[in-house]
Amino acid sequence: MRLTLALGEIMREWLKVLVWAAPIVVVLGCDPSPQRPVADRSDNESSDSANELPVNRSEVDESSRLPLWKPDESDLTELDGPYDFGDYEFRPPRAFKLLRSNHREMGMRMDIWMGKIREDETYAQLLVMISEPSIQNTKFSLKKTLRATVDQVRMRRSDWTEEEFEEGQVNGISFVRTSWSGVATDAAREGLAGRKMHGVVYLAIHNERVISIMCQDVAPDHATSLEFGHLAAKTFAARPQSEMEH
């Protein structure tokens, strides 16, 4: 029963994001580093003139300039084996339970994991969303697409802070990410309103699909479980064509 209620709460939370920012793909996680107030948005966007170009640029040229985001080999024992999204895969944390697989909504696939339900009825959430291929997904930059996504989360938080957007490469796919913190508003479920929350969002546009990986959890229990969110996001990869044919 508790799992059924948790699934309903998670679905209500993230469908609100989908309505306004779809299509996106997300795994929520948490950044255990101290939160810094977000820099002035105009300065952040103007610092990279390439940010305004369409995202269907050469992935080889683009990703060659980006830092590599990958997990430490010693941390891989915290992850399960590869989870199959069809064209993609990643390794979810062992400490998380798969709650919903291959849910289809508004032109996207949604897969949801959750951490252990605590005595106070809080838990970590891990969400991956992958859109259907569409040329429309290539019309905006990664940063603008992430901006639209994060703003929908921000609408349901007060005392909001976020990190400057970072660009990096995960297994040959260009991603942009940010971490955030905020207090759940009165619109949140009973027991969650007024609680401080932390999260991280990874977003990519690959082969005309929007991929979002997001994870969030409640303070003061967020740090360890959301480190797992970062770790899982860094294992996301396109599956070799030869594997998909078998």
Side-chain angles (χ1 to χ4, degrees):
M1 178 63 71
R2 296 175 77 192
L3 290 178
T4 301
L5 292 174
L7 175 60
E9 292 164 357
I10 293 171
M11 294 296 292
R12 284 191 295 272
E13 170 85 3
W14 296 112
L15 285 176
K16 292 175 183 177
V17 174
L18 285 176
V19 167
W20 295 102
I24 55 175
V25 181
V26 187
V27 175
L28 293 171
C30 175
D31 189 344
S33 62
Q35 302 291 322
R36 302 191 303 270
V38 64
D40 182 80
R41 191 176 304 169
S42 60
D43 291 343
N44 188 33
E45 292 184 353
S46 63
S47 64
D48 180 6
S49 59
N51 181 39
E52 301 305 317
L53 295 176
V55 295
N56 56 348
R57 292 164 285 172
S58 167
E59 292 185 29
V60 174
D61 291 343
E62 178 69 14
S63 62
S64 66
R65 303 198 305 268
L66 300 177
L68 301 179
W69 295 339
K70 58 183 180 179
D72 292 335
E73 290 292 328
S74 60
D75 292 331
L76 293 178
T77 56
E78 303 289 351
L79 302 178
D80 268 338
Y83 179 84
D84 183 4
F85 296 104
D87 291 341
Y88 302 96
E89 65 182 24
F90 95 136
R91 296 180 59 181
R94 292 182 182 275
F96 283 53
K97 179 182 180 65
L98 179 63
L99 193 59
R100 174 64 66 90
S101 176
N102 196 18
H103 177 77
R104 302 283 176 164
E105 191 90 27
M106 298 175 64
M108 341 196 120
R109 171 181 176 145
M110 182 187 304
D111 296 79
I112 303 170
W113 288 259
M114 64 179 294
K116 182 179 179 180
I117 300 178
R118 307 182 184 100
E119 291 294 327
D120 62 359
E121 300 294 326
T122 63
Y123 45 85
Q125 300 175 27
L126 174 62
L127 179 66
V128 178
M129 294 194 291
I130 303 175
S131 74
E132 295 294 331
S134 172
I135 191 65
Q136 298 297 320
N137 293 331
T138 67
K139 291 188 174 181
F140 298 97
S141 70
L142 286 176
K143 287 185 177 180
K144 283 190 174 180
T145 306
L146 180 61
R147 178 77 266 154
T149 303
V150 171
D151 282 350
Q152 297 312 311
V153 179
R154 182 177 183 174
M155 288 175 61
R156 299 185 303 283
R157 306 284 184 265
S158 61
D159 297 329
W160 177 269
T161 62
E162 68 182 56
E163 298 283 348
E164 293 184 10
F165 291 1
E166 299 177 286
E167 294 176 280
Q169 180 185 353
V170 177
N171 292 312
I173 300 176
S174 298
F175 273 85
V176 62
R177 70 183 180 187
T178 188
S179 59
W180 57 265
S181 67
V183 176
T185 65
D186 292 340
R189 65 173 173 82
E190 183 179 355
L192 190 60
R195 299 288 300 271
K196 184 69 170 288
M197 304 187 71
H198 297 263
V200 68
V201 184
Y202 285 69
L203 187 139
I205 300 176
H206 183 259
N207 290 342
E208 299 184 354
R209 291 182 172 94
V210 180
I211 301 167
S212 302
I213 303 172
M214 300 163 61
C215 189
Q216 68 176 17
D217 203 356
V218 179
D221 302 306
H222 61 282
T224 298
S225 60
L226 295 179
E227 286 177 9
F228 292 155
H230 272 294
L231 184 60
K234 293 174 185 177
T235 69
F236 191 87
R239 297 182 64 212
Q241 187 66 32
S242 58
E243 291 185 9
M244 293 186 288
E245 292 172 350
H246 291 83

